[in-house]
Amino acid sequence: MKIAISGKGGVGKTTIMALLARELRRTGREVLIIDADPSPHMAETLGIRDIERARPIADMTKLLAERAGKTPGSPFYQLNPQVDDLLRDFMIEQDGLKLMVLGAVQTAEGGCACPENHVLRKMLKKLLLTANQAVLLDMEAGVEHLGRGTVAGADQLLIVVIPSRSSIRTALKIRKLAEDVQIPRISFVGNLVRDEEDKTFLRQGLGEEPVAFFPDAAAIRRAERAEKPIIDIEDELDRAPQQLLEAILNGCGESGDV
Ligand SMILES: Nc1ncnc2c1ncn2[C@@H]1O[C@H](COP(=O)(O)OP(=O)(O)OP(=O)(O)O)[C@@H](O)[C@H]1O
Ligand SMILES: [Mg+2]
């Protein structure tokens, strides 16, 4: 399975991806997380040390360009057919979780990270996967990157939404764009949900039931402030990570018994 995540800025995309990665690991699956946010912080969230050891994917494009004999200034990018062998150098692994980082590749002028996104898209399309493997793509906020088609290689998109009008508006916009790039499954995931009123507000605003509701958890805030990995948190999550995984597995035609 290849799962991407989107949503308005700061709604909890990275947090939810990290908790989902943990659940997938617990079911014995092999998990590769790709941090495609130009300001990456998945490594801290997961508590992965020595992230500097991992070469950013941005480097990979240079390497691939060299191997493919790309001439400077050429608008074309050719991927080396040996890309799979190369992936290893760009991963860092800890406690069975593999992480790749896109790198801070966008320019101050808002230049396009097109080559990197091209590699990402290719990788997503080309990668793997056995039933036992999952790729999770954490992304920057907003809708712009959907236009670049990076997520088109994903087979599921999770759209994180918090109980606010503006978050719902963004979530609906993202769904529309995701439908346009024909991602087979698109689901909403509620976050920072405190009570039934919040759930009802989300259901009504979205016009459908989110596949999971993550509570507003003091434990998550405390961990973040103390710079502790949030994936060490067990309490206060109301089984939301498990529910999310069950919904994903059911959607894949697998058993929800996890
Ligand atoms: N359920 C939750 N309960 C309490 N705090 C949360 C919860 N989810 C996320 N947070 C906190 O909210 C902040 C933003 O979360 P996170 O970084 O996961 O969002 P994001 O959508 O990935 O942000 P960005 O758009 O910057 O990538 C973090 O400080 C995180 O610890
Ligand atoms: Mg994030």
Side-chain angles (χ1 to χ4, degrees):
M1 68 189 83
K2 298 170 193 169
I3 304 171
I5 200 158
S6 190
K8 201 173 159 64
V11 292
K13 299 177 290 296
T14 302
T15 303
I16 288 174
M17 263 319 200
L19 293 169
L20 176 61
R22 178 177 73 179
E23 287 312 305
L24 283 161
R25 281 293 305 144
R26 284 180 174 164
T27 63
R29 285 173 172 80
E30 202 179 316
V31 182
L32 166 63
I33 306 181
I34 302 174
D35 189 346
D37 190 328
S39 319
H41 90 135
M42 181 56 92
E44 288 128 283
T45 308
L46 293 168
I48 290 189
R49 300 171 295 273
D50 302 335
I51 186 61
E52 313 77 47
R53 275 197 290 128
R55 291 178 74 179
I57 297 170
D59 266 15
M60 193 191 295
T61 60
K62 286 182 210 123
L63 193 75
L64 292 169
E66 281 161 25
R67 296 224 181 154
K70 176 179 174 279
T71 48
S74 161
F76 298 109
Y77 248 86
Q78 287 182 316
L79 273 183
N80 187 300
Q82 301 305 318
V83 67
D84 290 359
D85 297 337
L86 294 173
L87 291 183
R88 268 187 294 272
D89 292 345
F90 295 86
M91 284 175 193
I92 192 157
E93 185 166 353
Q94 188 176 298
D95 305 326
L97 281 176
K98 295 185 180 65
L99 177 67
M100 289 175 94
V101 179
L102 183 70
V105 290
Q106 283 179 320
T107 65
E109 299 83 49
C112 183
C114 298
E116 290 78 8
N117 279 291
H118 179 70
V119 169
L120 256 184
R121 189 164 66 236
K122 277 272 187 197
M123 257 170 38
L124 272 182
K125 287 223 162 104
K126 208 166 141 57
L127 262 176
L128 336 156
L129 296 174
T130 67
N132 203 36
Q133 294 174 316
V135 174
L136 305 183
L137 180 66
D138 187 25
M139 293 188 297
E140 67 194 290
V143 294
E144 293 77 14
H145 56 284
L146 280 160
R148 286 182 226 131
T150 313
V151 297
D155 42 43
Q156 284 202 49
L157 178 70
L158 305 176
I159 304 173
V160 181
V161 55
I162 63 171
S164 79
R165 189 62 70 192
S166 67
S167 172
I168 289 175
R169 223 178 283 129
T170 304
L172 292 172
K173 207 182 290 175
I174 291 169
R175 179 172 66 182
K176 172 82 186 65
L177 288 168
E179 282 167 356
D180 290 348
V181 295
Q182 297 183 336
I183 297 175
R185 271 196 89 218
I186 303 165
S187 318
F188 295 116
V189 180
N191 191 27
L192 297 178
V193 174
R194 285 161 311 158
D195 50 26
E196 277 306 313
E197 190 181 325
D198 284 351
K199 289 184 186 175
T200 305
F201 180 73
L202 281 173
R203 285 184 190 112
Q204 285 177 348
L206 296 167
E208 70 176 61
E209 182 78 14
V211 292
F213 290 107
F214 282 73
D216 187 338
I220 294 183
R221 268 195 303 279
R222 271 198 299 274
E224 199 272 342
R225 288 174 194 171
E227 297 183 304
K228 296 223 168 84
I230 64 109
I231 59 163
D232 289 345
I233 295 167
E234 293 290 349
D235 303 335
E236 298 183 40
L237 298 176
D238 294 352
R239 283 189 40 85
Q242 290 91 329
Q243 263 158 24
L244 177 58
L245 179 58
E246 281 163 24
I248 288 170
L249 295 182
N250 283 330
C252 295
E254 292 185 41
S255 162
D257 299 334
V258 287

